């Protein structure tokens, strides 16, 4: 997992979640509403990372896995992408994802 740039992973997850569900996805427990809600959550996190830099990742703590568990979603291609996106957000720390902003002044 590339801790230096999660955006391609998040882009991939959002793109996959924007496409219509397959019969296999539906059999795994996905619904159109759930797909849209999860896609929106990942999109918001991705936007925050783009606007404010990777350092904000330590403040983004989506509980997507718990959400999918409650909804009864089984393992599959979409759940794998969502899980990978969540794992990145859980494992990043301030040392591996510096803020993309101007250096701080020390007085």
């Amino acid at each position: 997992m590339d801790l230096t740039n999660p955006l391609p992973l998040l882009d991939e997850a959002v793109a996959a979640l924007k496409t219509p569900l397959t019969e296999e996805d539906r059999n795994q427990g996905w619904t159109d509403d759930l797909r849209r809600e999860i896609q929106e959550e990942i999109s918001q996190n991705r936007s925050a990372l783009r606007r404010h830099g990777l350092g904000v990742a330590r403040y983004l703590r989506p509980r997507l896995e718990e959400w999918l568990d409650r909804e009864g979603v089984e393992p599959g291609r979409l759940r794998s992408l969502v899980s990978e996106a969540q794992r990145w957000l859980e494992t990043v720390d301030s040392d591996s994802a510096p803020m993309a902003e101007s250096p701080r002044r020390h007085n």
Side-chain angles (χ1 to χ4, degrees), residues 4 6 14 25 31 33 46 54 70 83 87 95-96 98 100 106:
T4 61
V14 167
D25 297 329
T31 64
D33 287 341
R46 180 182 64 169
L54 299 179
R70 279 193 311 273
S83 296
R87 273 193 305 276
D95 292 333
S96 61
H106 296 284

Side-chain angles (χ1 to χ4, degrees), residues 57-107:
R58 65 181 163 259
Y59 301 108
L60 303 174
R61 293 290 183 238
R63 298 190 179 276
L64 304 175
E65 282 288 319
E66 291 174 19
W67 190 354
L68 296 177
D69 286 342
R70 279 193 311 273
E71 295 291 329
V73 175
E74 297 174 8
R77 83 182 165 92
L78 290 179
R79 183 153 186 166
S80 293
L81 281 171
V82 170
S83 296
E84 193 171 346
Q86 180 172 317
R87 273 193 305 276
W88 186 90
L89 292 169
E90 289 173 344
T91 58
V92 72
D93 61 29
S94 60
D95 292 333
S96 61
M99 288 291 282
E101 63 184 18
S102 59
R104 294 181 187 165
R105 286 192 203 165
H106 296 284
N107 293 334

Side-chain angles (χ1 to χ4, degrees), residues 4-5 7 10-11 18 38 70-71 75 83 100 105:
T4 61
N5 186 6
L7 295 175
L10 299 179
D11 290 342
K18 282 185 174 183
I38 296 285
R70 279 193 311 273
E71 295 291 329
S83 296
R105 286 192 203 165

Side-chain angles (χ1 to χ4, degrees), residues 13-39 68 73-74 76-79 81-82:
V14 167
L17 289 162
K18 282 185 174 183
T19 62
L21 294 172
T22 65
E23 189 63 33
E24 184 177 349
D25 297 329
R26 290 184 189 285
N27 291 339
Q28 293 164 355
W30 287 91
T31 64
D32 288 325
D33 287 341
L34 178 62
R35 176 186 56 82
R36 280 189 293 271
E37 290 170 0
I38 296 285
Q39 182 267 320
L68 296 177
V73 175
E74 297 174 8
R77 83 182 165 92
L78 290 179
R79 183 153 186 166
L81 281 171
V82 170

